[in-house]
Each structure stands twice: as structure tokens, then as C-alpha cells.
Amino acid sequence: MGVRLMVVDDHRLLAEALASALKLRGHRVLAAAAPAAGAADLVISRAPEVCLLGTATPAEPGTFDPVVRIKRERPQVAVVVLGPVPSPRGIASAFAAGASGYVRHDERIEGVERALMKARAGEAAVAPALLQGAFGELLNPVAQPDDEGQRLLQMLTPREVEVLVRVADGEDTRLIAAGMGIAPSTARTHVQRVLMKLGVGSRLEAAALAARTGLLDRAGPVGSPEPES
């Protein structure tokens, strides 16, 4: 009996190709959607048996937030992640979010199909070696000094990092704009984006967070003014 499923991937061609291949094998594919950001809403509204969720960055913070929401609002839906040759941290993050399985992007369609069937049956749909590595990472995480600082740094664009350094140096909007060669309104927008990405409510909080996590040491000196494009 075919699986009632959804395919969600950032790469539309991959999503549509997988959907077509699985339809030919007798499965009912409810949708093939490109934007992973809208995956949770789509899955919650359609309630498939299994969601095949593709990602190119399984180790990035927030990648599996849609999985968390799906499992919270539709716990009966099994989620199988389709990702690159994984690190244990990426698989651990998927399972910690509530995923039922992990399939590599280079897996044959037969392997994808087996994973979907196992996930629907309530089994772990992942190769034993990958599963062992994932749970090893969950139980014995490797200490990562400055891990939070690195994570925050990766969230910001180079220009936003410069804005944060200037904020930490006590520069106001006018000085930031002059130092970067941009309009004050643009500088104000950059500051607001930095605050939003860091999850803080003020410049003082942003500066304190950057200092505490070592982000300022990683950022280095600010650049010279650049003409605004």
C-alpha cells in the first residue's frame, strides 16, 4: 500500500523529480513544495502520513524548526530528512527535533522508499551506523568553546558584523553611517536587523552579548568607509 506523503525541498527541481519518481512507484504525493520556510504550515494543513524534508544545511541552527512545529501540532506525521552526507551533529539535530529518519541525498530511490515505509510504521528510518553516530553526539556532545559566538557570527552578514562592532564601540546611528559611508536610514535599518537576528531588544544588550560570546574578538577591526550602492 502506497504512502501518503509530501516532499518539501529548497530545490524545486529535486522536489518535483522525487515526487514524480515516488508517484510512479505507487505512492500518493500530496505536494512538492520548494520553500522549506513554509513546510510546517503546508504539512500541518495537509496532514500526510510522512513528510520528506530536504535540507542542504542539516547542522545549521534553526534548520529543523519546522520539524519541531510539525511534531507539536501533527504528532502523527513522520518526518524523514533528506540531506547531504551528514555529520553526527546534523543527524542528532534532526532526531532531537523529532524526525523519524535521515536519508542521504545520494541515496537510490529504493532506499528513499524504504525509509518512507519504515517511518510510517513507526521505525527509525536511518542506517544503523548513522544512527549510532547521532545518538553518540546527543549523549556525549563535544565541547565547543566559543560555539555561541561562532553561531551568532554566522547569522550576520559582513556588513551587519561591522555594524555590531561599531555599536559595541558606542557609535550612534550618525557615526555608524559616516564611518560606513551609508545613509543614516540605512544604518538604522542595519542596526535593527542585527538586534532582531541576535534576539535582543537594545544596542546595549547586543554589545553585551557580543562581548560575552567572544563574537567581537572573532569579528576583527571594522572596515573603512565604502560608498553606498
Side-chain angles (χ1 to χ4, degrees):
M1 182 178 176
V3 178
R4 191 174 76 257
L5 68 116
M6 297 181 66
V7 179
V8 183
D9 196 283
D10 284 332
H11 297 88
R12 182 175 294 278
L13 285 177
L14 175 59
E16 292 178 349
L18 271 171
S20 297
L22 290 166
K23 284 179 181 178
L24 289 174
R25 301 178 75 86
H27 301 287
R28 181 185 173 195
V29 183
L30 298 181
D41 289 332
L42 196 58
V43 173
I44 290 167
S45 65
R46 302 297 293 274
E49 294 176 305
V50 181
C51 170
L52 186 60
L53 177 68
T55 178
T57 55
E60 288 294 312
T63 295
F64 298 117
D65 287 351
V67 181
V68 174
R69 187 176 164 216
I70 290 168
K71 297 305 294 183
R72 181 176 67 244
E73 300 192 30
R74 294 285 188 183
Q76 74 276 19
V77 175
V79 180
V80 175
V81 174
L82 181 69
V85 177
S87 67
R89 183 175 297 275
I91 302 179
S93 297
F95 276 94
S100 299
Y102 191 107
V103 179
R104 289 165 42 157
H105 270 148
D106 58 358
E107 181 62 79
R108 296 171 62 88
I109 190 65
E110 293 85 0
V112 175
E113 184 177 39
R114 282 195 298 271
L116 297 175
M117 300 293 286
K118 291 182 70 174
R120 184 178 65 174
E123 303 176 29
V126 62
L130 299 184
L131 188 62
Q132 183 178 6
F135 279 100
E137 177 70 24
L138 283 172
L139 296 173
N140 301 291
V142 178
Q144 297 284 335
D146 297 326
D147 182 71
E148 186 178 4
Q150 180 62 32
R151 177 181 64 81
L152 294 175
L153 191 62
Q154 291 174 345
M155 292 170 57
L156 305 176
T157 66
R159 175 149 285 196
E160 288 167 348
V161 171
E162 181 175 351
V163 168
L164 177 59
V165 172
R166 291 181 181 277
V167 166
D169 286 341
E171 295 186 11
D172 60 17
T173 300
R174 180 180 57 81
L175 287 175
I176 292 173
M180 297 180 66
I182 58 178
S185 60
T186 303
R188 191 174 301 109
T189 297
H190 282 318
V191 171
Q192 290 303 315
R193 286 177 179 170
V194 169
L195 298 183
M196 180 181 66
K197 287 185 176 183
L198 297 182
V200 296
S202 69
R203 299 182 183 211
L204 182 60
E205 289 180 81
L209 178 62
R212 177 175 60 80
T213 61
L215 192 156
L216 295 177
D217 295 332
R218 291 171 177 267
V222 298
S224 57
E226 298 178 12
E228 186 176 7
S229 55

